[in-house]
Amino acid sequence: MSDREAKAVNPRPVGRRPFGRRPGGGRPVRENPVRKAFSSPLASVFVIAMTVLWTIPTLGLLVTSLRPKQDVTADGWWNALLHPDFGLGNYHAVLFEGGSGVSTGLMPFMVNSLAISIPATLFPLVLAAMAAYALAWVRFRGSDAVFFTVFALQVVPLQMALIPLLRLFSGGAHLGPLTLIPAVDLKGSYAPVWLAHTMFAMPLAVFLLHNFIAQLPRDLMEAAVVDGASHFKIFRSIVLPLCAPALASFAIFQFLWVWNDLLVALTFAGGTPEVAPMTVRLAQLSGSFGGRWELLTAGAFLSIIVPLIVFFSLQRYFVRGLLAGSVKG
């Protein structure tokens, strides 16, 4: 067949259709105006401007934390950009010497915050991943009711559960003369804070991870069962690697929540130096009359360094995990 005859049989080459036209050669496809507006140069300039405005307070916090006390009380932080006089004396003082109302530095309390935040992130993450796998792929009577009950627990305000949970830890649960849950003496330890944060995080964690795990290919699960893999083997070798974005996304949320928490830590751990987190001491740095701004800004900037490290370490998983279960296909 000659080239002319081939063109007569198939006048248009097979391949990707021309941009903006329908498959049958009809009217051009109208571009989404919303997508066009958000992809325009004006939208990019707006996003950059908002990012700069959002960063200015953090820049002011950093600059103030590096200035001497006399400069902080004399003028605004923006003047230091024209006449810089920076040093690390405020950080040394706030970490190892303390400040107004604080007899010791922040270093022991940063260690306490890490000792609280890391287990309080890992415990609900592990338990919720196993519960989400069981609710998604292990069929049993009442599994749907359990899932919807866990989902409904998200609407319970945290503040309403603090006092009942504290009484449960200290006095146990009793039904007349019968003791259902014995009292446990957990004062002066991290365990009450771990348990409280784990309980409060479980509903959201199970819901988020269930939506992701339930969308895993059924053929993959059935092939593993045919090969003789147990549920634990499937969970460890297949589910955990595939749901890493969802796990990382929840880990970011939970770590930031626990690290910045003050209410739960004060309720269940108290303000003793042995177990008090960093937020307890930050509230005392300003003193009775709100002075010592240079120490307060240095302590505040130290408190955001660890969350920033966690976020930027896991940010590639953040959007993928945040959108888990939102769309199909």
Side-chain angles (χ1 to χ4, degrees):
M1 181 181 295
S2 62
D3 294 341
R4 181 177 299 177
E5 292 173 345
K7 291 181 179 180
V9 174
N10 188 12
R12 178 176 293 175
V14 178
R16 187 170 55 185
R17 66 178 184 269
F19 176 77
R21 292 192 175 274
R22 298 185 183 276
R27 291 181 300 177
V29 179
R30 300 180 65 180
E31 188 175 359
N32 190 340
V34 177
R35 178 178 297 179
K36 182 178 180 181
F38 279 101
S39 61
S40 63
L42 183 60
S44 301
V45 173
F46 176 77
V47 171
I48 294 174
M50 291 300 298
T51 303
V52 172
L53 290 175
W54 192 269
T55 310
I56 286 177
T58 306
L59 176 62
L61 186 72
L62 175 62
V63 172
T64 304
S65 67
L66 295 173
R67 303 180 70 194
K69 179 181 180 180
Q70 61 272 14
D71 293 345
V72 172
T73 56
D75 50 23
W77 64 267
W78 49 88
N79 294 318
L81 301 178
L82 301 177
H83 307 285
D85 183 14
F86 300 141
L88 298 177
N90 296 332
Y91 287 93
H92 182 274
V94 78
L95 279 174
F96 304 106
E97 299 175 7
S100 178
V102 180
S103 57
T104 58
L106 280 178
M107 181 60 71
F109 305 101
M110 287 189 68
V111 176
N112 290 341
S113 291
L114 289 173
I116 292 174
S117 300
I118 294 176
T121 302
L122 295 179
F123 290 161
L125 196 65
V126 174
L127 296 176
M130 293 188 291
Y133 170 75
L135 292 173
W137 292 101
V138 182
R139 304 305 301 173
F140 57 91
R141 180 176 298 179
S143 60
D144 293 336
V146 172
F147 174 72
F148 286 115
T149 301
V150 172
F151 175 73
L153 288 175
Q154 297 183 67
V155 302
V156 178
L158 181 149
Q159 293 80 2
M160 291 182 60
L162 289 179
I163 301 303
L165 191 58
L166 183 62
R167 294 185 63 182
L168 178 64
F169 288 161
S170 59
H174 306 276
L175 182 61
L178 181 64
T179 300
L180 302 178
I181 301 177
V184 290
D185 186 13
L186 300 177
K187 294 181 180 179
S189 65
Y190 301 121
V193 190
W194 294 342
L195 292 174
H197 279 299
T198 301
M199 294 177 184
F200 295 142
M202 284 295 292
L204 177 61
V206 171
F207 175 71
L208 176 66
L209 297 177
H210 175 273
N211 289 348
F212 194 95
I213 295 174
Q215 292 187 1
L216 296 178
R218 178 174 296 273
D219 295 340
L220 183 62
M221 300 297 184
E222 293 176 350
V225 173
V226 171
D227 290 340
S230 62
H231 283 297
F232 180 75
K233 180 69 173 180
I234 295 173
F235 175 76
R236 181 174 59 86
S237 302
I238 298 177
V239 174
L240 285 183
L242 292 179
C243 67
L247 294 173
S249 179
F250 172 75
I252 292 174
F253 278 118
Q254 179 67 4
F255 186 87
L256 294 181
W257 162 252
V258 177
W259 179 267
N260 295 319
D261 169 72
L262 176 62
L263 179 61
V264 176
L266 279 178
T267 303
F268 293 96
T272 58
E274 292 78 13
V275 294
M278 189 175 182
T279 50
V280 175
R281 281 300 183 252
L282 283 177
Q284 302 173 357
L285 278 177
S286 59
S288 303
F289 302 99
R292 306 305 299 270
W293 289 359
E294 73 283 358
L295 296 183
L296 185 61
T297 54
F301 196 80
L302 285 173
S303 69
I304 68 175
I305 290 178
V306 176
L308 284 177
I309 294 174
V310 172
F311 178 79
F312 285 115
S313 300
L314 303 176
Q315 67 171 339
R316 60 174 180 162
Y317 299 109
F318 182 70
V319 176
R320 293 166 56 192
L322 191 63
L323 298 177
S326 61
V327 295
K328 292 185 177 181

